[in-house]
Amino acid sequence: MRVSGSRFHADPEYTVKLEGVRQGGYSTVLMGGVRDPYILADLDNWLKQLDDNIKIRVGAMVGNRPYEIVTRVYGRNGVMGALEPEAKAGGHEIFILWDVISPSQELSRAIASSVSHLAVHNPIRKWHGLISGVAFPYSPPELDRGPVYEFHLNHVLVPDSPTSLFRTEFEEV
């Protein structure tokens, strides 16, 4: 990116920009590839069925403790999601990233372990018996990311003076 021609214009009012984040929980991620043509042909239904099964299993496991699972499908709108201007989906393989966020690393890992098991064995309409629909590049597939943060504060403050927000004390030593 190149920016040119910008100019500074002094504002008559002194302001202080405040920005901040807060910890949103702890994350464990799973990454897996899918190449099965039957899954790819019915991907939306397969993902919905998997999501429904995850909600049942995880709901029974965690009770009312909060958690979030973000699923991104690379190879189909994985970067921009619903904002993707190209509606085309094609190819012969996809990459799925699950990001599990909860109040503790232990809980995120436990939920992710359930997700990995359910994803590997999520039924495929054209197959019978115990199947493996997702290939994980790592074993174990759960990767702890640690604490995650979310944007929380975006404010412009107009102080009484440029120094009124900041106490200054002088000590002679």
Side-chain angles (χ1 to χ4, degrees), residues 3-164:
V3 176
S4 62
S6 46
R7 296 182 185 181
F8 174 76
H9 297 280
D11 193 318
E13 187 172 54
Y14 182 81
T15 60
V16 175
K17 174 76 168 161
L18 301 174
E19 294 182 350
V21 297
R22 67 177 169 196
Q23 187 175 339
Y26 293 84
S27 170
T28 299
V29 294
L30 299 160
M31 300 176 282
V34 176
R35 201 170 193 282
D36 187 293
Y38 296 126
I39 293 175
L40 297 176
D42 197 26
L43 184 60
D44 289 328
N45 288 327
W46 186 82
L47 287 170
K48 184 183 178 329
Q49 177 184 340
L50 176 59
D51 190 48
D52 291 344
N53 291 337
I54 290 169
K55 285 177 184 169
I56 292 167
R57 164 93 57 92
V58 172
M61 182 176 83
V62 304
N64 62 357
R65 289 182 284 181
Y67 71 93
E68 176 184 12
I69 300 174
V70 178
T71 304
R72 291 184 181 92
V73 180
Y74 290 91
R76 187 193 72 176
N77 306 342
V79 176
M80 292 183 62
L83 298 175
E84 175 59 54
E86 298 288 329
K88 298 179 219 167
H92 62 280
E93 61 188 6
I94 59 166
F95 178 78
I96 304 175
L97 173 74
W98 290 274
D99 190 0
V100 179
I101 301 168
S102 80
S104 74
Q105 192 69 70
E106 294 76 20
L107 182 58
S108 289
R109 178 170 269 284
I111 293 170
S113 292
S114 286
V115 171
S116 67
H117 178 78
L118 290 168
V120 166
H121 300 298
N122 194 43
I124 303 168
R125 293 181 190 193
K126 300 275 186 174
W127 292 97
H128 300 287
L130 194 59
I131 54 93
S132 290
V134 178
F136 293 114
Y138 304 108
S139 183
E142 302 83 15
L143 303 169
D144 293 334
R145 284 196 327 127
V148 292
Y149 299 89
E150 56 195 19
F151 196 61
H152 181 66
L153 176 66
N154 183 16
H155 187 70
V156 176
L157 186 64
V158 181
D160 293 333
S161 75
T163 58
S164 65

